[in-house]
Amino acid sequence: MRFSALRSFAADPLLATASMTEDQRSHPVVAAILRRRDEGSRPGRRSDGRRIALVIEGGGMRGVVSAGMAAAIEQLGLTAAFDEVHGASAGAFNGAFLLARQASYLTALYQHGFGNPAFVSLRRALAGHPLFDMDYVVDEVWRRQRRLVVERILECGIELHCTATDVQTAEIVDLTDLRDGAEIRCALRASARLPWLAGPPVAFRGRRWLDATIAEAIPIRVALTTATDLLVLQTRPHGVRHTPLHGIVAKLTDRYLHRLNPALVELVRTRSERYDRLSERLAALAVDPVAKPAVCVIRPPAGSLMISQTENRQHALAVAGSHGLRAAWMALAGEDPELLATPIAYPRPLPVAARSAPREQRPIVHETL
């Protein structure tokens, strides 16, 4: 027996350490979502006169929390109950994978794919290049290694809205009406382009874009005007306030943004205050029985693990993702589930050319994930 193996023992990251108690099935928004599922309602063929939006907060690697929440929505069979999905930064990633029926898939990738040195490299940063290479994730990992099935997003009938910060106007802008896979991938890059840490602004539709969370971390603005009901997924536990940038990162960010547009510097300096104010407003709307639109908020409970936007520890990411999944499951199904780390099989989609060929002529394609 090799006793040295005992030194590598790792605790189960999915073992429940925080209690999930917020059952929100009686909330009118959740009740409407559950009713749509039970009635078999589908996008474009509604009969209840409502328009339900899903709003997903990001926050870099902390997006694993809302990814876990999206995975709960997927596993509970609730995705088709929504008419539009709004995501900011990593929240846009989570929304896209949810519409592609791959939310659980992405939740696991936070622990592995984002830890790849090809994505984040201090050596690369010391050489004067971006610390984070999001283009590698979007264009390489999600197109070839762990494919995001954009065809399902385009065919699902649910609108995908990716928000981003306009460099020229320093305003949050809604990127939607995405017509093909290239536009979806470009909108995802734009929504999550951290200033200087991830490279220059993304050019898309004749404008330049930076990370959505500079202007608005919770992409609520458009949804408030288009929907009758909103389900909002937040990544910070109850009682945790937004923390502003500090130290050398804050100084370098200010210097970089000032060269692009001085108004962006003010956005960064005020975003903690704006975030906390918006979070308080959403909490008030969530308990207002006559609020229009109706708003329901799902957050991890106080005491849940809080991680930063640059977290890279696999154990911490697994715990945070499980807390998100369990919090949403409790809110939507009324029970705190037990989680197990077991592989999930996803069918490999055929390439577009094969999908459009007559059935008897479609080739057998073997893709390497």
Side-chain angles (χ1 to χ4, degrees), residues 236 241-247 249-250 253-254 267-273 275-276 309:
R236 287 177 172 81
R241 301 176 72 82
H242 193 285
T243 303
L245 293 176
H246 61 278
V249 173
T253 300
D254 286 354
L267 275 185
V268 170
R269 289 178 176 173
T270 62
R271 67 177 173 177
S272 291
E273 177 185 348
Y275 177 93
D276 292 338
Q309 65 178 7

Side-chain angles (χ1 to χ4, degrees), residues 220-336:
I220 198 77
R221 191 168 309 184
V222 171
L224 287 171
T225 67
T226 60
T228 61
D229 302 82
L230 279 67
L231 181 65
V232 181
L233 309 182
Q234 288 192 242
T235 62
R236 287 177 172 81
H238 285 283
V240 176
R241 301 176 72 82
H242 193 285
T243 303
L245 293 176
H246 61 278
I248 188 64
V249 173
K251 292 178 181 178
L252 291 174
T253 300
D254 286 354
R255 183 183 305 172
Y256 178 84
L257 293 177
H258 191 272
R259 292 198 299 265
L260 294 175
N261 180 356
L264 294 170
V265 178
E266 185 62 20
L267 275 185
V268 170
R269 289 178 176 173
T270 62
R271 67 177 173 177
S272 291
E273 177 185 348
R274 289 184 288 107
Y275 177 93
D276 292 338
R277 189 164 56 242
L278 176 57
S279 189
E280 291 170 0
R281 179 189 174 197
L282 291 173
L285 289 172
V287 296
D288 184 351
V290 296
K292 292 185 179 181
V295 174
C296 179
V297 178
I298 298 178
R299 300 178 69 176
S304 298
L305 179 65
M306 173 66 185
I307 61 173
S308 74
Q309 65 178 7
T310 57
E311 179 64 68
N312 65 356
R313 295 169 298 163
Q314 288 192 14
H315 184 276
L317 290 165
V319 172
S322 72
H323 285 177
L325 193 155
R326 290 171 52 221
W329 197 286
M330 183 69 201
L332 300 169
E335 64 175 346
D336 186 356

Side-chain angles (χ1 to χ4, degrees), residues 127 142 267 303 347 362:
W142 293 351
L267 275 185
R362 291 182 180 176

Side-chain angles (χ1 to χ4, degrees), residues 51-73:
R51 186 168 181 84
I52 304 179
L54 178 64
V55 175
I56 310 177
E57 180 185 356
M61 299 304 286
R62 197 173 55 256
V64 70
V65 177
S66 52
M69 294 175 177
I73 289 171

Side-chain angles (χ1 to χ4, degrees), residues 21-36:
T21 60
E22 195 168 12
D23 181 352
Q24 301 202 62
R25 287 176 296 169
S26 62
H27 193 286
V29 174
V30 175
I33 292 169
L34 296 175
R35 185 163 54 249
R36 280 185 169 185

Side-chain angles (χ1 to χ4, degrees), residues 77-102:
L78 298 171
T79 306
F82 297 97
D83 301 293
E84 52 193 66
V85 173
H86 300 254
S89 191
F93 302 163
N94 300 341
F97 274 80
L98 175 64
L99 296 185
R101 304 197 297 276
Q102 295 174 289

